[in-house]
Amino acid sequence: MALSRRTILQGAGALSLLSGRLAVPGLAQAALVRSALAQSAPAGDIPPILFVHGNGDHAALWLTTLWRMESNGVPRERMAAINFTDPLARTDDKVEQANRSSTEDQRRELAEAVRELKQKSGAARIALVGNSRGGNAIRNYVKNGGGGDISHAVLCGTPNHGVYASDDGLGNEFNGRGPFLRGLNDGDSEVTAGTAFLTLRSDGLDKYAQADGRFIGKPGTPTNVTSEGPALKGATNLVLGAVDHRETAYHPRAFREIYKFIAGHEPSRIEIVPETVVRLSGLVTGTPGGVPTNRPVPGATVDIYHVSAETGERVGGPLHSSQTGADGRWGPAQVDPSWPLEFVLTSPDAVTTHIYRSPFPRSSEIVHLRAARPLLPADAGAGAIVLMSRPRGYFGLPRDIVLFDGKEPADVKSGVPTDAVTTLRLAAADVGRPVVAAFNQERIVMRAWPASENRIAVAELTY
């Protein structure tokens, strides 16, 4: 698909009402909105739902989806989000690699998570919703003995026919000609009878569903896949529009289709209904050897501060301080749903990471934290390193408004969205000053911390 500025902006216009940070009702309205939750579908109409993250990711990416589900009356205890121990795929599925997982590892962990949610909820069958590689695990589980447990399977941006289809690297899980995907796609139907399947895909902006190999490091080489690669014979297949790879799961438009498919009717609302009291907790996980894992980090310290929305300065002392034990868990911390927050994560053998977040409108037990990447040779001489990160999507130019310290980032490429992190290296004279990170309607003000003290600041977008 040829992508022009006109094409991208037209797609962005179609999504404008749902893009960026949604308008959250004020607390004065919250009681009125909450009373309407009773009008939502009874919980019994919706099966328990297990959310399955993608390659290298963790459960926290489903944060806003869970909030939207709760805002439509789905009880928190009837949902779960898996944290795969080693979420990154092997280069060759049959060859062991440290801190990486095989398709069988993922199938086995998913089976255990299904068993736990069924036992907790008392339901005979549950629904599975997966992003990217998470959809591979879902299909593998359903096809190989788990179909009786699963009423619905939603696959969001899953490369069902591969990121590429080639005779090279046949052992790779993402090769459409390899044994893993050929096994899943074998037969007249590519889905398992008895489970209702939905696929959600982008209209040309998914970097892992492109005809040219430049997005996987092979420019000019045909991938032999197209934007239709996520579709499956026998499934309900929907195109969401100008969304990127991750937004096929985490965008408000994706939420609408996920909810509607599982519940059998439209959601009563898309916006997130705030709670009056918010409690947060999660895991601290590590990146041994630079590989992202969900293995717990003991001995990490988490401090949380209320900060000014306009300056990023701390308002008073810490709201919460704790040190992780062997299970890597921190919290719980009680915060006000209107407060911007700074999380200070001090992990063994890692940079001290100052994570600035927009206000949390609802409680969550999956506010998982990882230390920022280490200081790099390219950072030498910088007074401060500040990052803007978007875990639930990529920065799309010119689709999105992306401003970092008042400028469009130079390290974010235009066209098909591929970048989820942008970096600024500031002079020593800038240490301590506010830095504004703006993405569409979400705005975070952070402070620059001295790199000489092995510190990095991150504005982590929620939306």
Side-chain angles (χ1 to χ4, degrees):
M1 175 181 177
L3 292 175
S4 65
R5 180 181 178 88
R6 177 185 176 92
T7 301
I8 296 170
L9 287 175
Q10 284 177 332
L15 297 177
S16 60
L17 292 178
L18 293 177
S19 64
R21 183 179 179 182
L22 297 179
V24 177
L27 291 180
Q29 300 171 284
L32 291 174
V33 179
R34 278 195 299 274
S35 68
L37 292 181
Q39 305 302 317
S40 300
D45 290 356
I46 302 174
I49 308 171
L50 177 60
F51 295 92
V52 187
H53 64 75
N55 198 39
D57 292 332
H58 50 66
L61 270 67
W62 294 106
L63 181 74
T64 55
T65 306
L66 292 165
W67 285 342
R68 289 188 172 99
M69 286 286 179
E70 292 170 10
S71 297
N72 280 275
V74 181
R76 186 171 293 160
E77 61 271 16
R78 286 178 65 85
M79 297 184 289
I82 191 174
N83 234 18
F84 286 116
T85 304
D86 294 315
L88 203 61
R90 297 172 176 176
T91 303
D92 186 311
D93 193 41
K94 300 300 183 184
V95 179
E96 287 193 19
Q97 281 181 277
N99 302 311
R100 292 181 180 237
S101 58
S102 67
T103 55
E104 176 56 22
D105 292 333
Q106 294 238 311
R107 189 203 63 78
R108 186 173 58 250
E109 286 195 48
L110 180 58
E112 178 60 21
V114 168
R115 186 195 65 77
E116 289 178 359
L117 183 56
K118 284 181 60 183
Q119 184 178 55
K120 177 181 177 182
S121 65
R125 305 184 86 192
I126 69 170
L128 296 176
V129 180
N131 175 231
S132 191
R133 189 190 184 204
N136 284 354
I138 289 173
R139 294 184 69 198
N140 195 15
Y141 174 73
V142 171
K143 182 159 187 171
N144 292 293
D149 298 327
I150 309 304
S151 60
H152 301 75
V154 184
L155 314 176
C156 309
T158 297
N160 288 314
H161 295 92
V163 173
Y164 64 96
S166 168
D167 292 332
D168 295 329
L170 289 174
N172 191 282
E173 175 181 340
F174 303 112
N175 188 341
R177 293 182 187 171
F180 175 70
L181 286 179
R182 281 194 294 105
L184 291 182
N185 295 327
D186 185 46
D188 294 335
S189 174
E190 294 174 327
V191 301
T192 303
T195 298
F197 275 80
L198 170 68
T199 74
L200 301 178
R201 70 180 192 270
S202 169
D203 189 12
L205 292 187
D206 185 336
K207 70 176 183 176
Y208 295 121
Q210 299 291 321
D212 188 274
R214 66 190 176 100
F215 300 104
I216 57 172
K218 297 182 178 181
T221 301
T223 62
N224 300 310
V225 299
T226 69
S227 61
E228 296 180 0
L232 289 172
K233 290 183 293 183
T236 300
N237 300 297
L238 298 181
V239 182
L240 295 180
V243 296
D244 62 48
H245 178 65
R246 284 180 174 167
E247 287 174 339
T248 59
Y250 309 119
H251 194 279
R253 179 165 288 184
F255 164 75
R256 176 203 175 187
E257 300 300 345
I258 293 166
Y259 181 95
K260 183 167 65 171
F261 185 72
I262 296 173
H265 57 82
E266 294 280 2
S268 59
R269 58 185 51 80
I270 300 298
E271 75 274 14
I272 296 164
V273 179
E275 296 177 305
T276 53
V277 176
V278 171
R279 292 181 176 84
L280 306 176
S281 60
L283 292 173
V284 176
T285 61
T287 54
V291 179
T293 76
N294 292 316
R295 295 179 179 272
V297 174
T301 300
V302 176
D303 300 298
I304 304 176
Y305 296 86
H306 169 208
V307 297
S308 165
E310 295 304 317
T311 68
E313 290 185 290
R314 294 173 180 173
V315 180
L319 304 171
H320 171 84
S321 295
S322 62
Q323 187 172 73
T324 60
D327 62 357
R329 292 207 66 85
W330 68 268
Q334 183 169 313
V335 302
D336 188 285
S338 67
W339 287 348
L341 300 175
E342 174 195 355
F343 294 76
V344 183
L345 174 60
T346 308
S347 297
D349 304 317
V351 297
T352 298
T353 307
H354 299 259
I355 304 168
Y356 291 81
R357 296 289 302 266
S358 294
F360 285 74
R362 297 186 66 85
S363 300
S364 177
E365 296 180 349
I366 57 168
V367 185
H368 299 335
L369 305 174
R370 286 178 184 161
R373 50 87 167 168
L375 294 174
L376 305 172
D379 301 326
I385 309 299
V386 292
L387 312 178
M388 177 165 64
S389 169
R390 187 177 180 229
R392 293 167 191 86
Y394 297 92
F395 300 119
L397 297 175
R399 182 192 67 170
D400 300 317
I401 300 169
V402 187
L403 298 172
F404 200 15
D405 203 25
K407 297 178 181 178
E408 196 169 87
D411 57 351
V412 172
K413 295 178 283 296
S414 61
V416 174
T418 60
D419 303 301
V421 178
T422 176
T423 303
L424 281 180
R425 296 174 175 89
L426 304 177
D430 291 316
V431 169
R433 76 166 173 86
V435 178
V436 179
F439 174 79
N440 294 333
Q441 298 175 58
E442 186 171 8
R443 180 178 185 268
I444 297 175
V445 181
M446 64 200 302
R447 309 291 291 190
W449 291 83
S452 61
E453 297 179 3
N454 200 32
R455 298 175 184 268
I456 287 180
V458 182
E460 183 179 318
L461 297 161
T462 299
Y463 302 96

